[in-house]
Amino acid sequence: MQSSSQPLAQEFVAFAVEAGVLRFGEFKTKAGRLSPYFFNAGLFDDGAKLGRLAGFYAESLIASGLAFDMIFGPAYKGITLAAAVAIELARRGHNKPFAYNRKEAKDHGEGGTLVGAPVKGRVLIIDDVISAGTSVRESLQMIQAVGATPCGVAIALDRQEKAAENGVDQPWSAVQDVQQRLGLPVVAIAGLADLLAYLDAAPALAAHRPAVQAYRERYGV
């Protein structure tokens, strides 16, 4: 993972907590694990929060130096993310076209499953997290099917935990799987290590740190 600068990651974690997007307690993950924290990007649900989130993505992408020609947002969460980040990048002098897919092919109008700018050149996939890599693989297929080249993935949070396949923990994370098996660089605004560092400096949330640390020790990569 190409990690963002530490101050930016810390600022992002603080923002996610303040926005109620990052919560602490006991939550069941898709892999069936009981996680002491939950990140729900769907709760960046007003203009101010979405705009600020887009700023974090844009800053991370610019800092990473990753070269791309356009942005692709997989349905559904990736659609608003792609649009918001395209607006923010343009505001910063990096105007990029964007596209997204619809879940079902349309048989009237322009037809097809892809919407927006023509998908061509080096395509950056944008999403909230990589849980199992399914969304990334589906995006890869759509991008390659039209002759374009997937060049990387941008996400908000890297959980930095072991992937699970058929209920069995793997020695790699979903992000590492995307990087190694699919050969795509991943730019994350923040990771679990940044969350732990934030908890170290947040007395009001200190009670949650032992559970997050224990989870990291059990499932971390």
Side-chain angles (χ1 to χ4, degrees):
M1 180 188 77
Q2 298 177 23
S3 63
S4 49
S5 62
Q6 189 68 15
L8 183 70
Q10 290 298 298
E11 194 184 335
F12 173 70
V13 172
F15 164 55
V17 171
E18 287 158 18
V21 171
L22 184 55
R23 299 180 180 185
F24 300 95
E26 195 170 82
F27 308 93
K28 198 162 195 175
T29 70
K30 280 183 185 173
R33 299 169 185 159
L34 285 179
S35 172
Y37 73 97
F38 182 56
F39 180 80
N40 181 3
L43 296 174
F44 289 118
D45 55 6
D46 64 30
K49 285 184 279 196
L50 185 60
R52 196 162 171 214
L53 173 64
F56 282 108
Y57 271 107
E59 202 164 327
S60 297
L61 283 165
I62 292 166
S64 77
L66 182 64
F68 58 96
D69 300 312
M70 69 174 298
I71 296 167
F72 180 81
Y76 289 102
K77 280 183 184 170
I79 297 174
T80 49
L81 293 174
V85 174
I87 292 168
E88 181 61 22
L89 283 170
R91 198 180 67 79
R92 295 175 184 233
H94 302 269
N95 189 27
K96 304 283 187 184
F98 76 97
Y100 56 91
N101 68 297
R102 51 167 72 92
K103 291 280 191 180
E104 283 116 19
K106 190 173 157 191
D107 58 6
H108 59 280
E110 75 279 21
T113 57
L114 299 178
V115 186
V119 177
K120 59 185 180 181
R122 297 165 300 181
V123 184
L124 172 74
I125 299 163
I126 192 157
D127 216 338
D128 55 346
V129 295
I130 297 175
S131 297
T134 309
S135 174
V136 173
R137 285 182 175 81
E138 289 173 353
S139 298
L140 278 185
Q141 290 170 356
M142 288 182 276
I143 292 164
Q144 291 169 335
V146 292
T149 306
C151 68
V153 185
I155 57 172
L157 183 73
D158 179 2
R159 289 183 60 98
Q160 295 181 289
E161 67 181 69
K162 294 173 181 174
E165 291 183 6
N166 301 316
V168 179
D169 290 344
Q170 304 299 316
W172 58 80
S173 71
V175 166
Q176 289 172 333
D177 193 41
V178 166
Q179 290 173 315
Q180 290 159 18
R181 278 200 224 181
L182 304 180
L184 292 176
V186 176
V187 177
I189 302 170
L192 181 54
D194 300 304
L195 171 53
L196 281 164
Y198 172 78
L199 290 175
D200 280 336
L205 296 171
H208 298 292
R209 197 192 187 287
V212 176
Q213 180 64 40
Y215 188 82
R216 174 100 167 104
E217 286 169 7
R218 181 168 179 189
Y219 297 114
V221 292

